[in-house]
Amino acid sequence: DLRLLTKASDTPQSLPIERSGEVFELEVQAAAAIEGFRAGRPVVSAEDGRAAVAVCLAAEESARHGGREVRVG
């Protein structure tokens, strides 16, 4: 379960998550990243990393502005 704390309550709410999809792919990705770090090799290319950061920053900007579309790149 995911524990969700909202402004409306001081008590975390339990949000069940089925075992499928992106949430559980994160476990595999984290293990690959740790293995890469330990072996001293990159997990993704610099270009892919830069693109991922650009998407995250655009998502944050969009959220700050009420969900408006933000151009990436």
Side-chain angles (χ1 to χ4, degrees):
D1 283 355
L2 176 65
R3 307 285 288 167
L4 182 66
L5 186 59
T6 65
K7 291 180 181 179
S9 174
D10 290 335
T11 304
Q13 303 297 311
S14 180
L15 181 66
I17 299 175
E18 293 186 30
R19 186 150 182 90
S20 66
E22 295 173 359
V23 172
F24 294 96
E25 290 172 6
L26 180 60
E27 181 179 350
V28 173
Q29 293 170 354
I34 291 167
E35 182 181 324
F37 295 147
R38 288 181 176 155
R41 67 177 188 278
V43 180
V44 297
S45 69
E47 294 80 15
D48 287 347
R50 192 176 302 115
V53 170
V55 168
C56 291
L57 292 173
E60 286 182 337
E61 183 179 344
S62 176
R64 280 194 306 271
H65 297 284
R68 75 169 170 81
E69 189 173 309
V70 174
R71 190 176 203 60
V72 178

